[in-house]
Amino acid sequence: MYQNKSRSGESAVSIIGAGIAGAWHALLFAQAGHAVTVHERSDASMTESTSHWAGGMLAPWCEAEASEPVISRLGVRSLDLWRQHFPHTPFNGSLVVAHGRDRADFERFARLTSNHRRLDAQALRELEPSLEGRFREGLFYPDEGHVEPRRVLPELHAAISRAGGKIEFNSDAEAGDLDGIVIDCRGIAARDTQPDIRGVKGEMIVIESSEVELSRPVRLIHPRFPLYVIPRGDGRFMLGATSIESEDTGVSVRSALELLGAAYTVHPAFAEARIVEFGSGLRPAFPDNLPRISIEQERITVNGLYRHGFLLAPALAELTLGFIARGVIDNEVMRCA
Ligand SMILES: Cc1cc2nc3c(=O)[nH]c(=O)nc-3n(C[C@H](O)[C@H](O)[C@H](O)COP(=O)(O)OP(=O)(O)OC[C@H]3O[C@@H](n4cnc5c(N)ncnc54)[C@H](O)[C@@H]3O)c2cc1C
């Protein structure tokens, strides 16, 4: 059925988009012996992609608070794939804290999620000494990890090349112009063929402080301004992220105030931190906020990764490969025309 075989006898595969979805697909297909070419319209800095702006948390248990079980199922599988392919990925866990007045929301979060340990103030201090005296208790999710998108995307691209794949940057591709198997991973730009995809704006701020040290992402539960603080190394922290039904890509004064104000309540030293960057990205989402692999013969579209692109991309790529190699269908995420 599939033409353009590689030397190993596997079909040639074109992938459109080198964001987190396209990059993981390219890696697994290239390693499986396919002749892979990735077309990416951005240059290697990837600033056009949503992936460039992400937090990179790999948090299937925390995310269960507000997502369907399929997100945890695929997320847990992805953790194995991150470990297997990028063994240096930090798996230091994640920490969830709340101020005393938000106790009810904290308990709700604990109830809706699993695979966590409760920490009292002393255990919290041992885990994150910078947070000493800030919170009376916390929830620790020991098996979660995080990656830094701006480091891991180039690493993925290099791994694709090592596996024999080709990446063409500054290459604006049209699925109809490509032969063989085409995997469309264009995210929000795929609206021409997937009209129900929408962008959900996420704003983030990077700050720098030498007075706070964190070893893992910290989430602050708050009824109006939930926040996470992700350590980026060299005294830098990413503050994220808003979730706004808008496709404007600016950062509003309100969002900046909320993110910075919430960070200040995590640690007062953040008040003296230097602001390094404001930015925002559009999370590609279907109406149900679930990922989808749409299959129409040799045309496959992988989209709707919403707020879970880094968490889900490895497992989704493995499912797409399983379909091409063995015809395996995952009924929860695949739609066949
Ligand atoms: C602020 C923020 C924080 C987030 N935090 C997290 C997090 O902690 N953990 C997590 O798992 N997820 C997180 N996300 C979600 C995650 O970023 C997205 O789910 C993910 O980036 C979507 O990846 P993608 O590959 O589908 O799309 P993209 O990253 O947008 O990649 C699509 C690529 O296709 C390219 N392209 C488009 N059209 C063409 C064309 N015609 N030809 C060639 N190339 C084309 C684009 O240039 C782009 O590079 C966050 C998102 C935001 C905005």
Side-chain angles (χ1 to χ4, degrees), residues 17 21 40-41 49-51 54-57 172-173 306-311:
E40 168 54 52
R41 72 177 175 192
S49 70
T50 303
S51 301
M57 289 183 295
D172 205 327
Y306 183 44
R307 48 184 289 166
H308 304 121
F310 286 78
L311 179 61

Side-chain angles (χ1 to χ4, degrees), residues 268-311:
F270 281 141
E272 306 303 327
R274 202 165 65 87
I275 295 176
V276 176
E277 180 182 1
F278 288 104
S280 76
L282 295 179
R283 306 175 180 97
F286 288 114
D288 58 6
N289 292 336
L290 295 176
R292 198 184 294 166
I293 300 173
S294 311
I295 300 164
E296 208 176 331
Q297 299 197 350
E298 295 186 327
R299 300 288 185 261
I300 297 176
T301 305
V302 183
N303 214 332
L305 278 65
Y306 183 44
R307 48 184 289 166
H308 304 121
F310 286 78
L311 179 61

Side-chain angles (χ1 to χ4, degrees), residues 168-308:
E168 296 184 357
F169 290 106
N170 303 305
S171 169
D172 205 327
E174 280 270 347
D177 296 340
L178 301 169
D179 293 328
I181 300 172
V182 179
I183 306 178
D184 180 342
C185 298
R186 287 179 294 152
I188 191 74
R191 203 183 261 130
D192 54 343
T193 55
Q194 300 201 296
D196 54 348
I197 202 86
R198 73 187 198 287
V200 180
K201 177 159 90 159
E203 295 150 295
M204 51 77 90
I205 303 177
V206 179
I207 59 174
E208 199 171 68
S209 166
S210 56
E211 291 180 50
V212 184
E213 274 182 39
L214 296 175
S215 302
R216 53 190 56 76
V218 176
R219 294 182 187 228
L220 175 70
I221 307 249
H222 191 283
R224 277 169 302 129
F225 315 132
L227 167 89
Y228 52 77
V229 182
I230 305 179
R232 287 284 192 237
D234 299 329
R236 292 197 171 187
F237 301 88
M238 174 188 161
L239 310 179
T242 56
S243 191
I244 300 176
E245 292 291 337
S246 160
E247 295 197 357
D248 166 79
T249 50
V251 177
S252 73
V253 170
R254 177 203 298 257
S255 297
L257 287 172
E258 287 172 1
L259 289 173
L260 292 169
Y264 176 64
T265 74
V266 170
H267 200 297
F270 281 141
E272 306 303 327
R274 202 165 65 87
I275 295 176
V276 176
E277 180 182 1
F278 288 104
S280 76
L282 295 179
R283 306 175 180 97
F286 288 114
D288 58 6
N289 292 336
L290 295 176
R292 198 184 294 166
I293 300 173
S294 311
I295 300 164
E296 208 176 331
Q297 299 197 350
E298 295 186 327
R299 300 288 185 261
I300 297 176
T301 305
V302 183
N303 214 332
L305 278 65
Y306 183 44
R307 48 184 289 166
H308 304 121

